[in-house]
Amino acid sequence: MGVTLRGIEAVPVEVEVQVTGGLFAINVVGLPDASVREARERVRGALKSLGVSLRGRVTVNLAPAEVPKEGALLDLPMALAMMDASGMSLPLEGSLFIGELSLDGRLRPVRGAIPAAVLAARLGLPLILPAESAREAAMVREARVFGASTLSQVVSHLKGERVLEQAVSPEVEDPGGDVPVDLRDVRGQAAAKRALEVAAAGHHNLLMVGPPGSGKTMLARALKGLLPPLDDREMIEVLSVHSVAGLPVRSCRERPFRPVHPTASTVAICGGGSSLRPGEVSLAHRGVLFLDELPEFQRDVLEALRGPLEDGVIRVSRASGTVEYPARVLLVCSANPCPCGYLGDPEGRCRCSLGDVRRYRRRISGPILDRMDMRLEVPRVPAAELIDAPSGGEDSRMVRSRVLAARRIQADRWGPLGYLCNSEVPEGILRRHVRLTGEAKEILKGAIGAFRLSGRGLSRVIRLSRTVADLEGSPSVEGRHVGEALSYRSLEEVG
């Protein structure tokens, strides 16, 4: 039994080998990609290093046949199956194998070790894989993981001559006290700091608009220090995405923070390519995706984010197939108010015409803007305040404690229904479980026309109001909570 990857899911593959008479040849069938077909030579060289010579016509069948097979994960099970079919009786049933072989029989690390370990735990089978990938796979505590450095070590283990040592699950690291940017170090911007607290408490998307140097990027980086740690389920989801992408992983509850440059392509952000790898929106799953200078992104790139922001997943379709990756992100964006960035500057530095400003703002479409729960103006801090005012106010740790308390309230409320925070809850469930006072309902009725709220926009205001109430510990949503939520819609005309 081997494994192939479809998205972040490991799919079991049964490797069958038949050796018949005739001229020597190795044929691999079962929808293999180029890297799987090339395994013929890697496996042949590895077996030769052990003194095993293949003879006759060797047919390798990878079942189920309709599932595409990709990557070098199947090298190890293919080699073991060939050895067994060539007369070496090996007890191959009852284990799961993955690993890439070198020509001298060494096992190289592979991507996808964590999804493979999840599959092994679900099937109740031990997982045998390269030693360099064993620590990564052992992060799935329910799995029995054995690491080997060479093919000969795997054979000795199967024969009972030298049993491999089971990999030990590493200790899970909690996010440390050090944060990239502490809120106390941000001068002024009290309204923006409050907005970050609300965004972190309910996992709400945030758009900040302000001139260059107003601190938008600094505020976005400070958000990471306010987010709660990943729970066990979230951590495995995040580690699975990074494992499939071939990125280094560590057993840590820290949420990802992925800044993206405006020159990034649709494939880089959404995923794809020949091997259907995850993009930035999936690598930021359960964390922050930061798009700096939002209007500078290509329009098709931004429009491709509409579905993931709404559904929490992204489907990547290519000629080779379709895969689905998780994409539950907290989207944080920054933008200048005009092309030069100085619209409204008291010193009158802006030289943009009204047409220039309108064209610049129209780069952000209405549907994308409608998916922003919070829109905030970040003015430039006066020079005197930057120089003379001492750093002070609440630090990130104090604000984070309130965020954690609000998240616990949301977990108690939505956990039995399968949701973690207010932003994830579907509209139907939201309306049935959120209690609005009479005053709150009246304010919402008046806001529908005043703010030109769509149905989606109204639901987002209600979710945001519920988060503000959770930060206060209020069981019902009152008028003041709705008022604060509406204050974050003040940039309605930015698009």
Side-chain angles (χ1 to χ4, degrees):
M1 291 291 291
V3 165
T4 191
L5 299 173
R6 298 302 292 172
I8 64 167
E9 180 185 4
V11 180
V13 175
E14 185 175 351
V15 181
E16 301 174 322
V17 174
Q18 184 182 62
V19 180
T20 58
L23 296 176
F24 174 74
I26 300 177
N27 295 317
V28 182
V29 297
L31 287 184
D33 72 350
S35 60
V36 178
R37 288 193 299 270
E38 290 171 352
R40 296 175 299 184
E41 301 306 321
R42 293 194 296 271
V43 170
R44 184 184 180 186
L47 293 181
K48 189 175 181 179
S49 71
L50 295 182
V52 178
S53 296
L54 299 174
R55 300 180 183 278
R57 186 178 182 85
V58 181
T59 302
V60 181
N61 180 44
L62 307 176
E66 68 273 9
V67 176
K69 320 301 186 305
E70 61 93 17
L73 284 79
L74 293 169
D75 286 13
L76 178 58
M78 287 171 64
L80 295 172
M82 288 183 189
M83 294 175 70
D84 186 65
S86 299
M88 296 182 62
S89 181
L90 297 176
L92 300 180
E93 295 184 2
S95 296
L96 198 64
F97 304 91
I98 63 170
E100 177 184 346
L101 285 169
S102 62
L103 295 179
D104 60 0
R106 288 178 293 113
L107 286 171
R108 301 181 186 276
V110 292
R111 63 185 184 91
I114 290 181
V118 172
L119 174 64
R122 187 169 73 243
L123 298 177
L125 301 176
L127 175 64
I128 300 176
L129 76 169
E132 293 181 54
S133 300
R135 180 176 175 83
E136 176 182 325
M139 294 179 189
V140 182
R141 298 181 179 274
E142 299 81 7
R144 290 177 293 149
V145 177
F146 298 88
S149 299
T150 63
L151 176 59
S152 61
Q153 289 183 3
V154 177
V155 174
S156 299
H157 172 80
L158 294 173
K159 290 182 175 180
E161 299 172 352
R162 182 183 176 186
V163 179
L164 296 171
E165 184 177 350
Q166 183 172 346
V168 179
S169 302
E171 292 294 326
V172 179
E173 305 173 20
D174 283 320
D178 296 334
V179 293
V181 178
D182 196 291
L183 280 184
R184 178 173 287 180
D185 298 329
V186 180
R187 306 294 177 93
Q189 305 295 7
K193 293 178 182 179
R194 170 62 178 177
L196 291 181
E197 179 181 348
V198 176
H203 205 79
H204 297 290
N205 299 332
L206 172 64
L207 169 63
M208 295 181 287
V209 179
S214 59
K216 303 185 295 296
T217 301
M218 190 176 185
L219 287 164
R221 295 188 180 279
L223 179 60
K224 184 177 180 180
L226 307 183
L227 295 172
L230 296 165
D231 62 27
D232 291 342
R233 189 188 79 177
E234 291 177 313
M235 185 175 71
I236 293 300
E237 289 178 2
V238 171
L239 295 180
S240 294
V241 176
H242 287 240
S243 177
V244 167
L247 298 178
V249 298
R250 62 190 181 100
S251 184
C252 182
R253 299 189 184 278
E254 186 177 52
R255 293 183 182 269
F257 182 92
R258 304 288 300 190
V260 181
H261 194 268
T263 58
S265 66
T266 303
V267 171
I269 293 181
C270 297
S274 59
S275 56
L276 299 178
R277 297 291 180 92
E280 292 291 339
V281 71
S282 297
L283 295 173
H285 177 61
R286 299 296 182 188
V288 177
L289 179 67
F290 177 45
L291 305 184
D292 200 4
E293 303 297 340
L294 184 65
E296 301 298 334
F297 282 80
Q298 295 294 324
R299 191 178 183 91
D300 59 343
V301 172
L302 297 180
E303 296 305 306
L305 292 175
R306 288 163 57 174
L309 292 178
E310 195 70 20
D311 304 330
V313 297
I314 186 166
R315 294 167 185 86
V316 182
S317 298
R318 298 292 184 271
S320 58
T322 300
V323 297
E324 185 177 280
Y325 288 112
R328 183 71 65 183
V329 299
L330 195 169
L331 180 64
V332 179
C333 304
S334 70
N336 291 328
C338 66
C340 76
Y342 294 104
L343 180 67
D345 188 274
E347 298 178 7
R349 286 189 285 179
C350 180
R351 295 295 184 268
C352 300
S353 67
L354 182 59
D356 292 337
V357 174
R358 286 177 175 173
R359 283 190 294 272
Y360 183 75
R361 294 185 175 186
R362 284 173 184 165
R363 294 180 183 178
I364 309 175
S365 68
I368 288 295
L369 193 62
D370 204 32
R371 285 164 172 78
M372 296 294 178
D373 301 321
M374 309 172 68
R375 307 161 196 174
L376 183 71
E377 185 174 1
V378 183
R380 191 157 57 95
V381 180
E385 187 174 347
L386 289 174
I387 296 173
D388 298 331
S391 60
E394 294 183 311
D395 60 16
S396 293
R397 184 172 298 180
M398 297 173 63
V399 177
R400 187 170 182 260
S401 64
R402 294 198 296 270
V403 170
L404 291 174
R407 284 290 186 108
R408 284 192 290 268
I409 293 173
Q410 294 169 56
D412 292 340
R413 180 191 305 118
W414 306 121
L417 301 176
Y419 304 101
L420 298 176
C421 53
N422 293 331
S423 65
E424 298 181 6
V425 182
E427 183 175 358
I429 298 177
L430 179 76
R431 297 295 180 89
R432 290 196 301 269
H433 290 80
V434 172
R435 290 186 292 172
L436 299 170
T437 64
E439 181 187 12
K441 291 180 180 178
E442 290 301 317
I443 294 176
L444 283 173
K445 289 177 183 177
I448 292 175
F451 288 86
R452 294 180 293 177
L453 294 176
S454 64
R456 180 189 293 112
L458 178 61
S459 296
R460 291 182 181 275
V461 170
I462 295 176
R463 291 188 185 95
L464 195 56
S465 303
R466 181 63 268 179
T467 299
V468 175
D470 289 337
L471 284 168
E472 194 178 291
S474 174
S476 59
V477 177
E478 301 181 11
R480 64 181 182 276
H481 305 140
V482 175
E484 181 175 349
L486 288 172
S487 70
Y488 298 122
R489 310 284 296 194
S490 59
L491 292 172
E492 195 70 26
E493 297 298 326
V494 73

mmCIF file of all heavy atoms in Angstrom, residues 48 113 139 230 234 281 288 302 317 343 355 399 407 417 445 451 461 487:
data_model
loop_
_atom_site.group_PDB
_atom_site.id
_atom_site.type_symbol
_atom_site.label_atom_id
_atom_site.label_comp_id
_atom_site.label_asym_id
_atom_site.label_seq_id
_atom_site.Cartn_x
_atom_site.Cartn_y
_atom_site.Cartn_z
ATOM 1 N N LYS A 48 19.345 -2.784 -7.564
ATOM 2 C CA LYS A 48 20.658 -3.281 -7.965
ATOM 3 C C LYS A 48 21.675 -3.067 -6.863
ATOM 4 O O LYS A 48 22.589 -3.880 -6.663
ATOM 5 C CB LYS A 48 21.089 -2.573 -9.243
ATOM 6 C CG LYS A 48 22.346 -3.172 -9.869
ATOM 7 C CD LYS A 48 22.656 -2.509 -11.197
ATOM 8 C CE LYS A 48 23.911 -3.144 -11.840
ATOM 9 N NZ LYS A 48 24.222 -2.516 -13.150
ATOM 10 N N ALA A 113 3.968 14.169 3.992
ATOM 11 C CA ALA A 113 4.101 13.193 5.076
ATOM 12 C C ALA A 113 2.950 13.294 6.080
ATOM 13 O O ALA A 113 2.484 12.272 6.599
ATOM 14 C CB ALA A 113 5.436 13.390 5.795
ATOM 15 N N MET A 139 3.967 14.291 13.923
ATOM 16 C CA MET A 139 3.123 15.337 14.499
ATOM 17 C C MET A 139 1.672 14.891 14.577
ATOM 18 O O MET A 139 0.893 15.444 15.352
ATOM 19 C CB MET A 139 3.246 16.614 13.659
ATOM 20 C CG MET A 139 4.616 17.247 13.696
ATOM 21 S SD MET A 139 4.733 18.736 12.662
ATOM 22 C CE MET A 139 6.499 19.047 12.737
ATOM 23 N N LEU A 230 -3.605 28.118 17.372
ATOM 24 C CA LEU A 230 -4.343 27.077 16.663
ATOM 25 C C LEU A 230 -4.714 25.954 17.623
ATOM 26 O O LEU A 230 -3.912 25.564 18.483
ATOM 27 C CB LEU A 230 -3.484 26.497 15.536
ATOM 28 C CG LEU A 230 -3.087 27.437 14.391
ATOM 29 C CD1 LEU A 230 -1.951 26.818 13.577
ATOM 30 C CD2 LEU A 230 -4.280 27.724 13.491
ATOM 31 N N GLU A 234 -7.104 22.596 13.831
ATOM 32 C CA GLU A 234 -6.611 23.653 12.953
ATOM 33 C C GLU A 234 -5.126 23.455 12.642
ATOM 34 O O GLU A 234 -4.687 23.682 11.509
ATOM 35 C CB GLU A 234 -6.825 25.018 13.606
ATOM 36 C CG GLU A 234 -8.275 25.453 13.711
ATOM 37 C CD GLU A 234 -8.397 26.772 14.440
ATOM 38 O OE1 GLU A 234 -7.779 26.934 15.510
ATOM 39 O OE2 GLU A 234 -9.103 27.671 13.943
ATOM 40 N N VAL A 281 -3.368 31.697 -0.806
ATOM 41 C CA VAL A 281 -4.620 31.737 -0.064
ATOM 42 C C VAL A 281 -4.819 30.462 0.749
ATOM 43 O O VAL A 281 -5.508 30.477 1.780
ATOM 44 C CB VAL A 281 -5.809 31.973 -1.036
ATOM 45 C CG1 VAL A 281 -6.080 30.744 -1.889
ATOM 46 C CG2 VAL A 281 -7.069 32.387 -0.279
ATOM 47 N N VAL A 288 -3.532 34.798 8.405
ATOM 48 C CA VAL A 288 -3.719 36.105 7.765
ATOM 49 C C VAL A 288 -3.114 36.087 6.369
ATOM 50 O O VAL A 288 -1.964 35.671 6.185
ATOM 51 C CB VAL A 288 -3.068 37.226 8.604
ATOM 52 C CG1 VAL A 288 -3.198 38.568 7.888
ATOM 53 C CG2 VAL A 288 -3.713 37.296 9.981
ATOM 54 N N LEU A 302 -7.737 39.371 -8.146
ATOM 55 C CA LEU A 302 -8.665 39.710 -7.068
ATOM 56 C C LEU A 302 -10.007 39.001 -7.245
ATOM 57 O O LEU A 302 -10.594 38.498 -6.269
ATOM 58 C CB LEU A 302 -8.875 41.222 -7.000
ATOM 59 C CG LEU A 302 -7.631 42.063 -6.674
ATOM 60 C CD1 LEU A 302 -7.991 43.545 -6.633
ATOM 61 C CD2 LEU A 302 -7.027 41.630 -5.346
ATOM 62 N N SER A 317 -8.754 23.804 -10.834
ATOM 63 C CA SER A 317 -9.070 22.901 -11.946
ATOM 64 C C SER A 317 -8.079 23.112 -13.078
ATOM 65 O O SER A 317 -7.851 24.232 -13.512
ATOM 66 C CB SER A 317 -10.498 23.150 -12.458
ATOM 67 O OG SER A 317 -11.450 22.889 -11.446
ATOM 68 N N LEU A 343 -4.224 62.015 -1.435
ATOM 69 C CA LEU A 343 -5.530 62.661 -1.492
ATOM 70 C C LEU A 343 -5.972 63.065 -0.087
ATOM 71 O O LEU A 343 -5.947 62.256 0.841
ATOM 72 C CB LEU A 343 -6.558 61.709 -2.110
ATOM 73 C CG LEU A 343 -7.976 62.258 -2.240
ATOM 74 C CD1 LEU A 343 -8.006 63.395 -3.266
ATOM 75 C CD2 LEU A 343 -8.942 61.152 -2.642
ATOM 76 N N GLY A 355 -10.740 62.167 -12.314
ATOM 77 C CA GLY A 355 -10.807 60.959 -13.148
ATOM 78 C C GLY A 355 -9.773 59.931 -12.740
ATOM 79 O O GLY A 355 -10.053 58.724 -12.739
ATOM 80 N N VAL A 399 -4.476 43.048 24.718
ATOM 81 C CA VAL A 399 -5.559 42.979 23.749
ATOM 82 C C VAL A 399 -5.856 41.519 23.392
ATOM 83 O O VAL A 399 -7.009 41.117 23.251
ATOM 84 C CB VAL A 399 -5.206 43.787 22.489
ATOM 85 C CG1 VAL A 399 -6.295 43.662 21.436
ATOM 86 C CG2 VAL A 399 -4.986 45.253 22.850
ATOM 87 N N ARG A 407 -13.206 34.649 21.653
ATOM 88 C CA ARG A 407 -13.180 33.416 20.867
ATOM 89 C C ARG A 407 -13.761 32.238 21.663
ATOM 90 O O ARG A 407 -14.396 31.345 21.091
ATOM 91 C CB ARG A 407 -11.742 33.098 20.454
ATOM 92 C CG ARG A 407 -11.215 33.960 19.313
ATOM 93 C CD ARG A 407 -11.901 33.624 17.992
ATOM 94 N NE ARG A 407 -11.304 34.356 16.878
ATOM 95 C CZ ARG A 407 -10.540 33.801 15.950
ATOM 96 N NH1 ARG A 407 -10.267 32.520 15.992
ATOM 97 N NH2 ARG A 407 -10.058 34.539 14.966
ATOM 98 N N LEU A 417 -22.312 23.316 16.462
ATOM 99 C CA LEU A 417 -22.803 23.366 15.084
ATOM 100 C C LEU A 417 -21.680 23.200 14.067
ATOM 101 O O LEU A 417 -21.931 23.221 12.853
ATOM 102 C CB LEU A 417 -23.521 24.703 14.837
ATOM 103 C CG LEU A 417 -24.729 24.992 15.742
ATOM 104 C CD1 LEU A 417 -25.276 26.386 15.470
ATOM 105 C CD2 LEU A 417 -25.820 23.949 15.534
ATOM 106 N N LYS A 445 -32.358 48.514 10.177
ATOM 107 C CA LYS A 445 -33.326 48.859 9.133
ATOM 108 C C LYS A 445 -32.965 50.187 8.467
ATOM 109 O O LYS A 445 -33.043 50.340 7.251
ATOM 110 C CB LYS A 445 -34.732 48.934 9.732
ATOM 111 C CG LYS A 445 -35.304 47.578 10.133
ATOM 112 C CD LYS A 445 -36.673 47.726 10.776
ATOM 113 C CE LYS A 445 -37.227 46.379 11.240
ATOM 114 N NZ LYS A 445 -38.543 46.523 11.928
ATOM 115 N N PHE A 451 -26.502 52.866 3.957
ATOM 116 C CA PHE A 451 -25.218 52.302 3.549
ATOM 117 C C PHE A 451 -25.329 51.440 2.298
ATOM 118 O O PHE A 451 -24.362 50.817 1.904
ATOM 119 C CB PHE A 451 -24.633 51.459 4.695
ATOM 120 C CG PHE A 451 -24.126 52.265 5.850
ATOM 121 C CD1 PHE A 451 -24.979 52.662 6.866
ATOM 122 C CD2 PHE A 451 -22.790 52.633 5.925
ATOM 123 C CE1 PHE A 451 -24.517 53.399 7.937
ATOM 124 C CE2 PHE A 451 -22.328 53.368 6.998
ATOM 125 C CZ PHE A 451 -23.184 53.764 8.004
ATOM 126 N N VAL A 461 -22.571 42.757 8.645
ATOM 127 C CA VAL A 461 -22.736 43.730 9.731
ATOM 128 C C VAL A 461 -23.251 43.032 10.991
ATOM 129 O O VAL A 461 -22.800 43.331 12.103
ATOM 130 C CB VAL A 461 -23.694 44.851 9.288
ATOM 131 C CG1 VAL A 461 -24.073 45.728 10.485
ATOM 132 C CG2 VAL A 461 -23.063 45.712 8.214
ATOM 133 N N SER A 487 -19.797 51.679 11.817
ATOM 134 C CA SER A 487 -18.745 52.678 11.661
ATOM 135 C C SER A 487 -17.592 52.143 10.806
ATOM 136 O O SER A 487 -16.809 52.928 10.249
ATOM 137 C CB SER A 487 -18.197 53.097 13.037
ATOM 138 O OG SER A 487 -17.454 52.051 13.648
#
